[in-house]
Amino acid sequence: MCSGGVPMFSKKVLSVLFVVYLIIAPVAAHARGGVVLALSGGGTRGLAHIGIIEVLKEKGIPIAGIVGTSMGAIIGGLAASGYSPVELREVIKSLDLTNLMSERTNPIFVPLSQDSTNPHNKIPWIALDTSGNVVGPLGGVTGVKLLERFAQLASRSQIVRFDELEIPYAAVATDLETGEKVVIRTGSLASAMRASMAIPGVFDPWSLGGRLLVDGGLVSNLPVKTAKEIFPGYPVIAVDVSGTLKTRKEIHSLVDVVEQSLTIFTRRNVLDEISLADLVIAPPVAGVSIFDLTNADRIVDGGRKAALQKLPDIVKLAEKAPPVAQKEELCLESKVVEIKVEGGTPYLQELIRKKYRSWVGEPLSTLNMVRASTEIGAHDDVLAVDYRFEEIGEDLAVVFVIQRKPSFELNVGGYTTNLHPHRWIYLSGVRRDLFLDGDSLRFNFKIGEQWGIDASYLTSPVKNSGWEVILSAQNWELSSNKGRREWDRYAAGINRRFSTGSFEAGLGYAFEQVHSGGEGYSSSGPTFFLTSNTLNDATDPTKGSLFHLQAWWPDMEEVLYRATYFQAARLSDNWRFYFRAGFAEGDETSANGNRAVYLGAAEELYSYSGNPIQGERMFWWNAAFRRILMKSWWGKLNTEIFGGMGFVYDDTGDRYRDVWEAGVSFSIPGFLLDGKLMFLYNDERDFKIGFFIGSPVWGHYPLP
């Protein structure tokens, strides 16, 4: 089989070309002897492998095969699938390790309407798997984003067996249950790379072929023995980037402890195998962190320098080695003859087969495979999606491999700040497959100066489809420009949800009971929401927009609504521009004023969050220039210059209050911690130093 991007020829023409190829192939086969690469793991130190491959390509020394572990498996897999050293350098430059390791949902620090009551960046606490067993987090990062990125990079190849790649290839992983070495030579290239680099404690183990796999470095960090077994007769060049043990004075942080532990784990098996190699190349990686991508070019160049120093020895090995026949991309057009699904509920399996059955009888498109995997991964009960191909004669069966989320999850989070008196902790959870395949019951408990509980039941795991039932009870307390107000709100509603492309919508009906000042108020009426989301990334958007509108028509009297808009733009590698705006319509005269809007109550303007401005309606906007100061495995350090304005109107339609603020902030939107330090100045000539830690959980004032 060949890459998905080759031109389509008729079988008759290809047959003629194949005969010609058989005639000339023996001549090409005797061109030059080849070598086999055994590429070790070592985190980002493994970028040095690119420099090794670069030198071999430049000097015309064929690579007969590649066997890689961890980062060696990633670089080796991409090189084997046809990426040139120049392309590999560009791939590395484009990688955002911080983003790929982050699984947050809102880095913007101004809550958008649809996220404001749904806490994010939660700490996994306890879960039940699909068999009902209690489990905890298996790693700090699920690695779903990494898999998606690997799938995108590997999409140029549509192969079943890795020996059909441009360079024959194998990846090494470890069976977490048995401790056995697992050599992966078939299936999904992306999945093989993801399994091989699953560092225990950092990434979740990867399920593959009925096994739970982790980093291959635990059993074979320098896979020389495996390389000799797979490619007998060829000299094996071992590229060792596993590093050396640090001294006590060099251990200063958690990262240093993790690196030292990994080096200790792998040191013995590296020493056992390195003696089997025909040649060892050890690029200069001393002092390079396993998570550091800031010195990528220097690391690659270090590998290149090390290869050039060993070049005479490499040439000698190649001269004595068996020849490597050059592969030609001569292949018949492969068509899809069947769609298969492994894992997931029967409902989801049937849904996938129906949705993509139009592929049957058509040529395989790996780009479509990547898109489909992303679509399936958006389902609420899906953790990760992988795919592979199965040969059926000259054609292929597409196999989607689904990993489901736990049937029950319980999480904990919190929020604290000095800008207003509201602080809380929250517990949130989800129970899946309660009544139907793929349904879910979600709940959130907020405990603090304000308390609240809300629960929602979704009938379908498909994003924004099916029915939703919502119940909530909230206590609100605000000290605005018009005094202190406290009320309890109880609400129930039902929605029918729809989605198409980037648009999501819902129609429903909501009931509300409010208690304030010893009096009670009840209302009911239809509800509506509309969302358009074209952001290119949820954690670090660089282009696109997000619009959300939510409305309620209580007692068919006056429509209450809230609309928010967010626009992102990339100015350079480290500069971002964000624009945010919002408009809300309330009813200051009904329900004892408890349906008023409050400018600042949801941090539209940070400096007014402790004393928001009450009104009938409001409009606000702010703009920010963000500079990424530093990237690391734990997140980013950002600075932001921002400013904004707000306008508040009374029940007569008059604009009675204009406010503004400007400031500078430093923030850490990481997957371990959310934090922000701000220096604020506003129209009241009030200078404030503020901070917050954690995720705000605000209400949809004035909506139920």
Side-chain angles (χ1 to χ4, degrees):
M1 275 165 280
C2 57
S3 69
V6 298
M8 300 299 178
F9 299 96
S10 69
K11 292 188 177 182
K12 186 176 181 179
V13 173
L14 283 172
S15 298
V16 175
L17 292 175
F18 187 67
V19 172
V20 175
Y21 169 72
L22 292 177
I23 295 173
I24 66 173
V27 178
H30 294 286
R32 197 161 188 181
V35 297
V36 172
L37 297 179
L39 306 180
S40 82
T44 53
R45 301 166 187 159
L47 301 182
H49 298 318
I50 299 174
I52 307 292
I53 297 169
E54 193 171 68
V55 170
L56 295 179
K57 292 281 188 178
E58 288 177 359
K59 303 304 178 181
I61 299 173
I63 301 174
I66 297 176
V67 182
T69 296
S70 197
M71 182 59 83
I74 296 171
I75 301 299
L78 295 177
S81 63
Y83 280 84
S84 67
V86 173
E87 289 176 314
L88 288 174
R89 283 180 179 265
E90 290 301 315
V91 166
I92 297 305
K93 288 180 181 180
S94 68
L95 285 180
D96 187 342
L97 184 63
T98 304
N99 188 25
L100 292 174
M101 294 186 67
S102 173
E103 289 163 1
R104 302 173 62 253
T105 59
N106 184 8
I108 300 165
F109 288 109
V110 173
L112 301 169
S113 298
Q114 78 278 16
D115 291 329
S116 61
T117 59
N118 191 18
H120 51 268
N121 199 36
K122 298 166 289 189
I123 302 171
W125 196 251
I126 192 172
L128 297 177
D129 62 19
T130 53
S131 301
N133 300 313
V134 178
V135 296
L138 300 180
V141 182
T142 65
V144 172
K145 282 191 174 183
L146 281 169
L147 178 71
E148 292 175 349
R149 183 60 176 143
F150 292 160
Q152 293 170 358
L153 294 171
S155 63
R156 64 170 58 183
S157 298
Q158 56 182 59
I159 52 89
V160 176
R161 295 182 296 271
F162 296 167
D163 57 8
E164 297 174 342
L165 289 166
E166 185 173 306
I167 302 174
Y169 166 78
V172 177
T174 303
D175 189 317
L176 187 60
E177 182 179 10
T178 65
E180 298 174 342
K181 177 173 66 177
V182 179
V183 181
I184 309 170
R185 302 179 65 186
T186 63
S188 163
L189 183 61
S191 192
M193 293 189 290
R194 167 65 179 86
S196 184
M197 54 71 66
I199 302 173
V202 178
F203 297 100
D204 282 3
W206 190 247
S207 180
L208 184 64
R211 294 176 181 245
L212 197 61
L213 304 181
V214 294
D215 198 304
L218 298 182
V219 292
S220 183
N221 198 50
L222 187 61
V224 177
K225 185 177 181 181
T226 301
K228 284 188 169 291
E229 292 172 350
I230 297 176
F231 305 102
Y234 286 97
V236 174
I237 298 176
V239 184
D240 182 17
V241 294
S242 56
T244 58
L245 291 173
K246 299 176 181 289
T247 65
R248 184 172 179 177
K249 293 182 178 180
E250 295 174 315
I251 301 174
H252 306 293
S253 66
L254 175 61
V255 175
D256 295 331
V257 173
V258 172
E259 290 184 11
Q260 187 81 338
S261 300
L262 292 173
T263 303
I264 293 171
F265 286 149
T266 61
R267 187 175 178 84
R268 178 165 295 180
N269 67 62
V270 167
L271 293 175
D272 288 341
E273 297 205 44
I274 200 169
S275 60
L276 302 175
D278 297 281
L279 180 68
V280 178
I281 300 177
V285 294
V288 178
S289 168
I290 62 174
F291 298 113
D292 182 18
L293 279 176
T294 59
N295 298 304
D297 285 333
R298 182 172 66 85
I299 300 171
V300 175
D301 291 339
R304 177 182 176 86
K305 183 179 179 180
L308 289 171
Q309 290 175 346
K310 296 280 188 174
L311 186 59
D313 296 328
I314 298 173
V315 172
K316 290 179 182 179
L317 288 176
E319 289 174 347
K320 299 177 182 179
V324 178
Q326 298 297 311
K327 293 188 176 182
E328 301 285 341
E329 282 197 282
L330 295 174
C331 62
L332 300 179
E333 179 182 338
S334 298
K335 292 185 178 180
V336 179
V337 294
E338 188 178 359
I339 304 294
K340 298 182 179 180
V341 185
E342 295 180 356
T345 64
Y347 168 80
L348 181 59
Q349 291 180 357
E350 183 62 22
L351 188 71
I352 293 172
R353 284 191 290 265
K354 285 183 178 180
K355 185 171 184 177
Y356 303 109
R357 62 187 175 187
S358 61
W359 293 2
V360 175
E362 298 295 325
L364 176 68
S365 168
T366 50
L367 186 59
N368 284 342
M369 293 294 306
V370 174
R371 290 172 178 168
S373 298
T374 302
E375 292 171 354
I376 298 168
H379 292 198
D380 177 71
D381 60 340
V382 174
L383 174 64
V385 183
D386 195 13
Y387 63 84
R388 69 173 189 271
F389 309 117
E390 292 182 354
E391 290 180 308
I392 302 179
E394 295 181 348
D395 296 313
L396 295 172
V398 171
V399 184
F400 289 103
V401 183
I402 310 297
Q403 290 190 37
R404 295 196 70 200
K405 293 179 180 177
S407 60
F408 175 75
E409 293 179 87
L410 183 64
N411 303 277
V412 63
Y415 175 79
T416 185
T417 181
N418 69 327
L419 294 174
H420 52 77
H422 302 146
R423 302 168 183 85
W424 50 70
I425 61 171
Y426 52 75
L427 297 174
S428 61
V430 57
R431 174 69 166 88
R432 299 182 177 90
D433 303 329
L434 188 63
F435 303 113
L436 306 168
D437 281 346
D439 70 355
S440 60
L441 175 65
R442 299 177 177 275
F443 56 89
N444 297 302
F445 297 91
K446 184 178 71 174
I447 306 168
E449 282 83 353
Q450 298 177 345
W451 60 266
I453 176 174
D454 63 82
S456 63
Y457 173 74
L458 291 168
T459 61
S460 172
V462 182
K463 185 179 181 181
N464 285 294
S465 68
W467 291 90
E468 180 183 28
V469 179
I470 302 172
L471 298 172
S472 70
Q474 306 283 341
N475 167 255
W476 302 116
E477 181 180 335
L478 288 174
S479 296
S480 70
N481 61 317
K482 296 187 179 181
R484 181 180 176 275
R485 177 166 285 164
E486 182 177 2
W487 66 97
D488 296 328
R489 170 180 282 168
Y490 306 90
I494 184 170
N495 292 305
R496 181 68 171 89
R497 304 170 74 95
F498 310 89
S499 66
T500 177
S502 62
F503 289 93
E504 305 162 6
L507 291 170
Y509 202 87
F511 305 84
E512 180 189 71
Q513 179 91 26
V514 176
H515 294 278
S516 176
E519 299 184 44
Y521 309 89
S522 306
S523 299
S524 65
T527 61
F528 170 76
F529 81 84
L530 174 67
T531 300
S532 172
N533 188 353
T534 61
L535 295 176
N536 64 328
D537 188 87
T539 58
D540 184 19
T542 56
K543 66 177 180 180
S545 63
L546 193 155
F547 171 78
H548 181 77
L549 169 66
Q550 190 170 352
W552 183 43
W553 194 7
D555 301 328
M556 308 294 184
E557 294 178 351
E558 184 174 357
V559 178
L560 312 178
Y561 58 90
R562 180 180 177 90
T564 55
Y565 177 79
F566 172 76
Q567 179 74 46
R570 179 182 180 274
L571 303 180
S572 69
D573 287 344
N574 292 319
W575 279 99
R576 310 282 188 266
F577 175 74
Y578 297 148
F579 177 78
R580 316 169 181 95
F583 188 86
E585 177 80 25
D587 186 0
E588 198 174 10
T589 60
S590 66
N592 196 27
N594 294 304
R595 291 186 185 141
V597 298
Y598 296 90
L599 178 62
E603 293 184 346
E604 296 94 354
L605 297 173
Y606 298 109
S607 61
Y608 284 92
S609 60
N611 189 34
I613 302 168
Q614 179 183 318
E616 179 82 2
R617 65 184 61 89
M618 69 175 184
F619 169 75
W620 62 272
W621 66 266
N622 63 51
F625 291 90
R626 175 180 289 185
R627 174 80 161 81
I628 302 173
L629 297 178
M630 184 180 66
K631 297 180 182 180
S632 182
W633 65 275
W634 46 262
K636 300 175 181 177
L637 176 61
N638 300 321
T639 186
E640 200 171 273
I641 303 171
F642 61 91
M645 298 186 69
F647 312 94
V648 183
Y649 301 79
D650 60 24
D651 59 348
T652 66
D654 294 331
R655 194 173 83 193
Y656 77 91
R657 187 70 186 274
D658 298 353
V659 297
W660 60 264
E661 73 173 12
V664 178
S665 70
F666 298 89
S667 61
I668 305 176
F671 72 94
L672 293 179
L673 175 70
D674 277 344
K676 194 167 192 175
L677 175 66
M678 294 168 284
F679 301 87
L680 303 162
Y681 187 77
N682 61 25
D683 59 292
E684 295 183 341
R685 298 183 180 180
D686 187 13
F687 176 78
K688 295 182 179 180
I689 299 176
F691 73 86
F692 67 74
I693 300 173
S695 301
V697 186
W698 297 109
H700 293 174
Y701 312 105
L703 304 172

